[in-house]
Amino acid sequence: SNDYSSRRPLARFEAMTPTLAIDTSTSRTIVGIIDGDNVLFDTFHEGATDHGRAISQLVAQALKVSAPPQQVVVGMGPGPFTGLRVGISFAHTFGLARNIPVIGVCSLDAIDINQSEYTVAIDARRKEIYWARYKDGVRIEGPAVSKPVEVEGFIIDQYPDMKKLVALSHLQNVTEPMYLRRPDAVPTAERA
Amino acid sequence: MQPIVLGIETSCDETAIGIVRGRTLLANVIASSVDEHARFGGVVPEIASRAHLEAMLPSIERALKDSKIALADIDAVAVTAGPGLIGALLVGVASASGLAQGLGRPLYGVNHLAAHVSVDYLTHDRPTDPTIALLVSGGHSSLLQVDDITRSITKLGATMDDAAGEAFDKIARILDLGFPGGPAIDREAVHGSASAIDFPRGLTTSN
Ligand SMILES: [Zn+2]
């Protein structure tokens, strides 16, 4: 079972409208403008502590290339908390300001792997990974956080694809960040 | 017409949204995660950060409702850029940035020590600059020279250990006066005698 995704009627999705896509679940800040099948803008900034600075600059660039976005799709993780929240926070208030819908998607689902069966993982720090397993385009296990030795044959160092992220917004709307860890599990050393 | 500014503050465990027109406060919404930290005996940054994200949209919407201001009427967005808990600050900065960019309005990052001092500008006429400001709050005690509240503030000094606010809270705890300590001690002090105890004065011989 999957607590995070919920089905959403397709009718709510307006085809061929520019969509602002944002993901900050990895070391990258990724921003795209997707219109139907067209990728109008797709770029990223590499830097695990740069999300806060990068997001506004990349979105400013993105807004120059298309008509105003009609919705926002944002990766809800799992991913390192501090960076993850930058993308979600930005998406929420941008959507509020423009009065346009904000749809959340599982970031791991948006990693595009051209295989019928695979497991993807991203770094969860503290010697663990966030991972999920897929078969025929459907998530069959996860997302979960585990030690790498506990997960079989995973693909790592891949990043969410903005076109796939937007495509997934037809099928799910994740409303809560996928933290997967309790907040008080953060050791004292990681505190700011 | 004076500018309408929406401010966002998330430096510690309170998500605060303020709306001002010029120096008139139109809304002041505070969502606190203080109860969630209690069992840890202090603010847990990750709990605070999660609570900020959860409280952000409802707090902004509440502030707009309280002030009867439409988002489109906001002229600028201001946000606490520091000092504070990094993860908590980032939720505020990213939220403010999304709001400003969504509205096409300027964003101002504010050092929240200056914001503490400028609260006085809401209730009193602008003091004659330069002014010496004594900033005493739960988290800091500093003496500031304010040449211009928006442009030039120089730190003249600060306490070496606890902020005065923390000292008030600790004393109030010892005397069983409750929390927060400042107002409680203030109330009791009215009936006190200034010469009852000969308090030592710190650092009078040092330069
Ligand atoms: Zn303060």
Side-chain angles (χ1 to χ4, degrees):
Chain A
S1 81
N2 171 18
D3 296 329
Y4 290 103
S5 69
S6 59
R7 295 276 161 181
R8 203 170 63 84
L10 287 175
R12 269 184 57 198
F13 179 75
E14 290 168 40
M16 300 302 281
T17 49
T19 297
L20 175 63
I22 295 172
D23 189 280
T24 57
S25 68
T26 67
S27 59
R28 291 182 178 178
T29 302
I30 314 176
V31 171
I33 300 269
I34 313 295
D35 193 346
D37 277 339
N38 302 318
V39 178
L40 302 180
F41 181 86
D42 189 5
T43 194
F44 69 88
H45 174 86
E46 177 69 49
T49 58
D50 289 351
H51 301 98
R53 270 189 299 273
I55 186 88
S56 60
Q57 289 168 23
L58 296 188
V59 171
Q61 290 173 31
L63 294 178
K64 284 182 193 149
V65 307
S66 92
Q70 297 303 302
Q71 63 171 3
V72 184
V73 177
V74 61
M76 300 296 281
F81 307 150
T82 301
L84 177 64
R85 273 189 292 264
V86 167
I88 299 172
S89 301
F90 187 99
H92 278 177
T93 51
F94 187 91
L96 176 76
R98 298 281 175 111
N99 195 25
I100 57 177
V102 179
I103 298 158
V105 166
C106 172
S107 300
L108 288 172
D109 292 0
I111 295 177
D112 198 17
I113 306 290
N114 191 19
Q115 291 174 24
S116 62
E117 203 170 342
Y118 60 89
T119 300
V120 288
I122 63 160
D123 185 12
R125 306 197 182 143
R126 294 160 56 189
K127 295 175 181 160
E128 290 186 318
I129 52 170
Y130 294 117
W131 63 276
R133 200 183 306 281
Y134 300 84
K135 191 179 179 185
D136 302 326
V138 177
R139 183 179 349 120
I140 55 167
E141 219 184 329
V145 59
S146 309
K147 291 189 176 67
V149 291
E150 295 164 352
V151 184
E152 245 176 80
F154 55 85
I155 300 165
I156 199 159
D157 291 335
Q158 300 293 312
Y159 298 88
D161 176 78
M162 291 304 96
K163 197 170 163 181
K164 193 170 180 192
L165 193 87
V166 172
L168 283 162
S169 71
H170 298 245
L171 304 170
Q172 52 180 261
N173 187 9
V174 179
T175 55
E176 300 292 325
M178 296 171 128
Y179 291 123
L180 306 188
R181 280 182 181 141
R182 289 162 52 88
D184 49 334
V186 178
T188 311
E190 272 187 36
R191 294 182 186 176
Chain B
M1 201 65 176
Q2 291 182 305
I4 297 172
V5 182
L6 183 147
I8 297 178
E9 141 68 32
T10 62
S11 65
C12 193
D13 61 346
E14 287 179 345
T15 313
I17 308 295
I19 299 179
V20 292
R21 177 190 282 118
R23 283 193 229 162
T24 309
L25 185 67
L26 303 179
N28 180 29
V29 174
I30 298 171
S32 174
S33 61
V34 67
D35 296 344
E36 298 172 60
H37 304 286
R39 67 193 172 99
F40 299 98
V43 174
V44 180
E46 179 57 24
I47 290 178
S49 301
R50 289 186 185 192
H52 286 311
L53 178 55
E54 250 172 68
M56 188 57 66
L57 286 188
S59 298
I60 293 174
E61 279 162 352
R62 179 82 248 171
L64 292 168
K65 211 171 162 200
D66 287 359
S67 62
K68 300 185 179 68
I69 294 289
L71 263 180
D73 297 330
I74 302 287
D75 295 301
V77 179
V79 64
T80 299
L85 304 169
I86 300 299
L89 285 168
L90 266 174
V91 174
V93 169
S95 299
S97 171
L99 194 63
Q101 222 155 349
L103 294 171
R105 298 284 189 267
L107 172 68
Y108 296 94
V110 176
N111 178 313
H112 97 256
L113 302 190
H116 276 304
V117 174
S118 67
V119 165
D120 189 59
Y121 288 54
L122 290 173
T123 47
H124 297 104
D125 284 336
R126 195 184 194 94
T128 317
D129 294 332
T131 298
I132 301 289
L134 175 63
L135 170 56
V136 183
S137 82
H140 13 247
S141 290
S142 357
L143 199 58
L144 306 168
Q145 179 180 325
V146 183
D147 292 312
D148 182 319
I149 189 68
T150 58
R151 286 188 200 90
S152 172
I153 298 177
T154 314
K155 192 177 192 175
L156 299 176
T159 49
M160 293 172 73
D161 41 30
D162 279 352
E166 294 166 317
F168 270 109
D169 287 339
K170 283 181 182 175
I171 298 294
R173 215 175 301 147
I174 292 167
L175 299 179
D176 240 344
L177 294 175
F179 179 88
I185 290 175
D186 208 33
R187 264 193 312 275
E188 296 302 318
V190 172
H191 313 291
S193 157
S195 56
I197 299 169
D198 190 16
F199 285 110
R201 294 173 63 194
L203 301 181
T204 46
T205 54
S206 89
N207 21 324

